């Protein structure tokens, strides 16, 4: 059977574009701290830092200027999560705010886990890693908007609509960032609304750009910062529905519609009495080139376990994003450098067995703020001044939790049943079985079998095409934007087909034996950055406009 090796069709990172030794422009905006990415990690970092400055009033540290740059045109518009949230870090960051005023939809009132076949659902005991009692369901868009309000109230400068396209460096030190220009035409030439890039300098920069961060990848490659295993990813495709009857618990499923050699599962969470979040998450090391996560999510809704919840309801919003799944062994050897720190998903702080990343992202942001505050007070932000950040993470629950489940995702490379059995033994042994590290190749190095895709026709009521899905993401990127996707070499018809299945937003199409790229459709999920054409930041405000994800 013919196979595709995704890595052989990928371009290397454009390091010369991403790491710039040139001096900042004369008009550069000068800040003390520059945070890239207004997700839970970046905003928690900015909030914690501003709180520390406030508490230290009178100490010999002048007011700090803190900037958070975000590529979405408004906070939260590029945020996608499940989400069931562990509230522990909210309590730490906002001890005075009662829980009913935190940006959650409702407490978790019950939970159930099922293994699915095409027609049946077998309930199984909830594995200990998936217990969610005491947690809350939420929309990450709403959390991010709320965190943004708290940050602004503390004097943090928020810059939505400012994607960062490069790190400005001096020797080995990060000295700030350069944003993308806007108003370029399809050929990359300045159009009538052209505005040049902005340089923002800082005594230090915090990379909080989330999953598969482009700048993080570039900084690590430039500084040669490895990890015991390469990072691996899953793609999550999610929908929020208006429904007729409330869901009384959170639901997770394993098995159908995924083949046995793919790792993943679905989640269905109540968001109050009239809305439900439904998502499917699939590891990008699957073996079948025609597997299509968006399409499998559509099939999932036809299962007797799900159908009754959505029939007669209305699709409100659709979104997609990757999740770093490598866990403990994929964490970068260091997450600090001269003038720079890595936080949240950019560093890989996600615990896959429990599908949790939000509170790890927030906690890492708080630790980054503490290390940054001490370094700025000393007047020096070299790597050794910022190393305290890694020490804080390594002695915290972030590291302990990821260590406990260190091999749990990795055993699933042997398939669903063998992986499930081994994961059970790991749970019983507190992570000690099997000893040592399971090696994982990067996702793009896993060969794909070229197979014929099973036909699927959406009905437009319960199931939707990718075109409808992108419409429901709110994406209104202008058609005349230059392509931000870098296609690699030797893309045959089969490879084009593969990309068309990987991308949940219908960006890639096979036209004869060629690849057609509809770049404006892109919702920045980064799946093809992992397996195919590289993603680069495009002009501010492009991409989806999520409100409920
Ligand atoms: C489908 C799905 C379900 C999940 N379910 C759960 C769950 O139930 N519970 C849980 O705790 N976690 C869950 N997670 C994980 C959780 O959402 C993440 O771990 C968390 O959002 C990470 O926060 P972050 O701030 O590091 O990154 P993000 O939330 O991704 O935020 C990064 C921000 O940086 C911005 N950005 C990126 N690049 C640039 C750039 N170049 N310039 C400017 N801005 C940039 C992005 O637009 C984004 O706003 C889920 C994730 C997914 C995808
Ligand atoms: S082209 Fe955009 S939407 Fe499609 S997979 Fe790549 S990053 Fe995701």
């Amino acid at each position: 059977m013919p196979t595709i090796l995704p890595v052989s069709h990928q371009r290397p990172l454009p390091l010369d574009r991403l790491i710039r030794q040139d001096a900042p422009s004369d008009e550069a905006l000068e800040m003390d701290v520059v945070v890239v990415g207004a997700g839970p990690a970046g905003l928690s970092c900015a909030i914690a830092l501003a709180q520390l400055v406030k508490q230290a009033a009178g100490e010999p540290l002048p007011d700090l200027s803190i900037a958070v740059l975000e590529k979405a045109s408004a906070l939260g518009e590029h945020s996608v999560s499940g989400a069931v949230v562990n509230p522990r870090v909210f309590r730490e960051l906002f001890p005075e705010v009662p829980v009913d005023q935190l940006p959650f939809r409702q407490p978790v009132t019950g939970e159930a886990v099922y293994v699915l076949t095409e027609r049946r659902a077998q309930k199984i005991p909830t594995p200990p890693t998936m217990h969610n009692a005491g947690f809350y369901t939420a929309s990450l868009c709403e959390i991010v908007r709320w965190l943004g309000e708290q940050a602004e109230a503390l004097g943090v400068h928020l810059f939505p609509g400012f994607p960062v396209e490069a790190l400005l460096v001096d020797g080995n030190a990060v000295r700030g960032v350069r944003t993308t220009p806007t108003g370029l035409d399809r050929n990359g030439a300045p159009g009538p609304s052209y505005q040049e890039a902005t340089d923002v300098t800082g005594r230090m920069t915090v990379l909080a750009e989330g999953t598969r961060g482009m700048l993080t990848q570039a900084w690590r490659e430039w500084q040669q910062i490895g990890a015991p295993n390469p990072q691996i990813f899953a793609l999550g495709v999610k929908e929020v529905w208006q429904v007729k009857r409330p869901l009384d618990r959170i639901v997770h499923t394993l098995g159908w519609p995924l083949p046995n050699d793919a790792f993943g599962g679905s989640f269905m969470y109540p968001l109050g009495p009239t809305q439900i979040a439904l998502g499917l998450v699939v590891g990008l090391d699957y073996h079948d080139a025609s597997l299509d996560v968006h399409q499998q999510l559509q099939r999932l809704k036809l299962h007797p376990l799900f159908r009754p919840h959505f029939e007669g309801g209305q699709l409100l919003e659709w979104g997609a994003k990757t999740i770093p799944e490598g866990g403990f062994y994929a964490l970068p050897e260091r997450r600090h450098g001269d003038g720079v720190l890595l936080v949240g998903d950019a560093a890989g702080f996600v615990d896959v067995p429990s599908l949790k990343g939000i509170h790890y992202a927030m906690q890492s942001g708080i630790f980054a703020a503490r290390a940054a505050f001490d370094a700025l007070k000393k007047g020096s932000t070299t790597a050794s001044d910022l190393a305290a950040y890694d020490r804080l993470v390594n002695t915290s629950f972030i590291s302990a939790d990821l260590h406990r489940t260190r091999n749990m995702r990795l055993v699933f490379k042997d398939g669903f049943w063998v992986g499930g059995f081994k994961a059970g033994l790991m749970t019983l042994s507190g992570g000690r079985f099997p000893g040592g590290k399971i090696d994982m190749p990067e996702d793009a190095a896993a060969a794909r079998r070229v197979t014929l895709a099973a036909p699927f026709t959406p009905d437009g009521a319960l199931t939707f095409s990718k075109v409808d899905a992108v419409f429901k993401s709110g994406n209104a990127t202008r058609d005349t934007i230059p392509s931000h996707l870098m296609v690699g070499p030797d893309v045959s018809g089969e490879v084009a087909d593969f990309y068309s299945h990987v991308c949940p937003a219908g960006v890639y199409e096979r036209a004869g034996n060629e690849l057609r790229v509809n770049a404006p459709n892109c919702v920045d999920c980064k799946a093809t950055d992992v397996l195919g054409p590289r993603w680069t930041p495009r002009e501010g405000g492009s991409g989806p406009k999520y409100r409920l994800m």
Side-chain angles (χ1 to χ4, degrees):
M1 185 177 288
T3 57
I4 293 170
L5 191 62
V7 71
S8 56
H9 306 284
Q10 275 197 309
R11 287 218 229 163
L13 266 184
L15 266 198
D16 52 335
R17 273 171 57 189
L18 295 163
I19 305 285
R20 310 295 292 256
Q21 289 281 355
D22 26 325
S25 113
D26 293 341
E27 276 132 58
L29 189 61
E30 284 179 29
M31 307 296 290
D32 291 303
V33 179
V34 182
V35 180
V36 180
L43 289 169
S44 299
C45 176
I47 290 167
L49 194 52
Q51 287 174 341
L52 286 167
V53 173
K54 209 168 142 193
Q55 284 155 17
E59 280 191 33
L61 183 73
D63 277 352
L64 281 184
S65 49
I66 307 164
V68 181
L69 278 68
E70 166 56 48
K71 64 183 164 63
S73 60
L75 289 205
E77 286 187 349
H78 286 184
S79 301
V80 179
S81 194
V84 171
V85 183
N86 178 336
R88 64 179 286 173
V89 187
F90 277 89
R91 291 203 188 103
E92 179 178 342
L93 203 52
F94 308 104
E96 73 292 354
V97 180
V99 75
D100 62 351
Q101 284 173 34
L102 290 171
F104 302 146
R105 288 289 187 98
Q106 64 167 81
V108 172
T109 50
E111 44 194 327
V113 181
Y114 297 88
V115 175
L116 300 188
T117 58
E118 191 166 354
R119 287 197 179 75
R120 304 192 53 160
Q122 176 63 49
K123 191 162 180 232
I124 59 166
T126 303
T129 49
M130 292 169 85
H131 280 302
N132 288 287
F135 299 168
Y136 295 82
T137 67
S139 144
L140 185 59
C141 300
E142 291 168 7
I143 290 180
V144 163
R145 288 202 295 270
W146 187 86
L147 288 173
E149 285 163 19
Q150 314 310 309
E152 233 165 4
L154 285 160
V156 172
H157 303 281
L158 302 177
F159 294 96
F162 281 86
V164 172
E165 70 167 21
L167 294 180
L168 299 174
V169 302
D170 181 7
N172 275 332
V174 177
R175 293 282 175 249
V177 300
R178 177 163 297 161
T179 67
T180 55
T182 55
L184 295 173
D185 69 17
R186 220 175 251 131
N187 303 316
S193 58
Y194 176 72
Q195 278 187 332
E196 62 183 16
T198 308
D199 289 352
V200 186
T201 61
R203 290 155 71 193
M204 58 167 302
T205 299
V206 179
L207 295 180
E209 51 180 341
T211 179
R212 191 69 176 180
M214 175 121 259
L215 305 164
T216 305
Q217 289 182 66
W219 178 75
R220 284 185 58 187
E221 194 171 313
W222 173 54
Q223 291 292 304
Q224 301 190 343
I225 296 171
N229 271 345
Q231 186 55 274
I232 54 170
F233 294 86
L235 173 62
V237 180
K238 176 182 165 183
E239 296 179 352
V240 175
W241 279 71
Q242 183 82 30
V243 291
K244 296 215 154 131
R245 62 183 175 122
L247 178 66
D248 59 358
R249 62 214 141 120
I250 63 168
V251 173
H252 289 106
T253 72
L254 304 164
W256 189 87
L258 300 181
N260 284 340
D261 58 3
F263 173 79
S266 80
F267 60 86
M268 177 163 70
Y269 300 152
L271 294 174
T274 58
Q275 288 181 9
I276 291 181
L278 175 74
L280 184 65
V281 175
V282 184
L284 289 178
D285 57 344
Y286 59 78
H287 301 290
D288 181 345
S290 68
L291 195 150
D292 187 316
V293 185
H294 168 80
Q295 230 173 61
Q296 296 300 64
L297 176 65
Q298 303 313 305
R299 284 198 176 93
L300 185 77
K301 284 179 282 180
L302 304 175
H303 192 278
L305 182 70
F306 293 99
R307 191 176 198 130
H309 292 286
F310 299 101
E311 230 157 21
Q314 192 198 346
L315 173 64
L316 298 176
E317 202 165 282
W318 173 98
K321 197 166 232 184
T322 50
I323 307 171
E325 284 208 327
F328 187 79
Y329 289 124
L331 297 180
E333 273 150 10
R334 66 183 157 93
R335 284 85 64 181
H336 68 273
D338 280 337
V340 67
L341 292 173
L342 309 183
V343 296
D345 276 17
F349 298 134
V350 173
D351 181 53
V352 175
S354 60
L355 191 56
K356 295 285 176 298
I358 294 172
H359 66 294
Y360 299 119
M362 293 176 72
Q363 187 66 62
S364 65
I366 296 173
F367 288 150
R370 284 188 202 153
F373 183 73
D374 289 343
L376 291 162
K377 222 161 49 170
K378 251 174 68 183
S380 172
T381 54
T382 64
S384 64
D385 296 307
L386 293 170
Y389 167 63
D390 273 344
R391 289 195 290 275
L392 287 167
V393 171
N394 292 345
T395 51
S396 73
F397 71 87
I398 303 179
S399 196
D401 288 3
L402 267 58
H403 187 257
R404 196 172 308 122
T405 59
R406 59 197 175 279
N407 276 319
M408 235 176 237
R409 159 66 178 94
L410 308 183
V411 286
F412 281 91
K413 74 173 186 181
D414 299 329
F416 176 70
W417 296 109
V418 178
F421 177 68
K422 288 187 180 169
L425 292 177
M426 273 173 215
T427 308
L428 291 175
S429 67
R432 284 184 294 281
F433 168 86
K437 165 176 87 75
I438 296 177
D439 292 330
M440 268 318 255
E442 61 171 323
D443 294 316
R448 316 291 151 139
R449 297 183 303 271
V450 177
T451 53
L452 220 55
F456 183 80
T457 312
D459 61 16
L462 202 58
T463 57
F464 295 89
S465 68
K466 291 184 179 180
V467 174
D468 292 337
V470 175
F471 178 72
K472 286 289 184 185
S473 76
N475 187 346
T477 306
R478 74 183 160 89
D479 280 347
T480 50
I481 201 165
S483 178
H484 63 300
L485 301 161
M486 296 167 50
V487 178
D490 307 324
V491 175
S492 61
E494 274 89 22
V495 176
D497 266 341
F498 171 55
Y499 294 164
S500 76
H501 294 302
V502 174
C503 175
V507 169
Y508 302 101
E509 278 177 282
R510 178 176 178 168
N513 272 332
E514 308 274 299
L515 178 70
R516 186 179 295 149
V517 183
N518 310 309
N521 274 17
C522 177
V523 293
D524 294 6
C525 78
K526 313 277 186 77
T528 49
D529 191 64
V530 177
L531 293 181
R534 285 205 174 273
W535 177 95
T536 63
R538 50 190 164 163
E539 77 178 18
S542 309
K545 293 200 186 303
Y546 302 132
R547 305 284 306 163
L548 302 169
M549 286 286 118

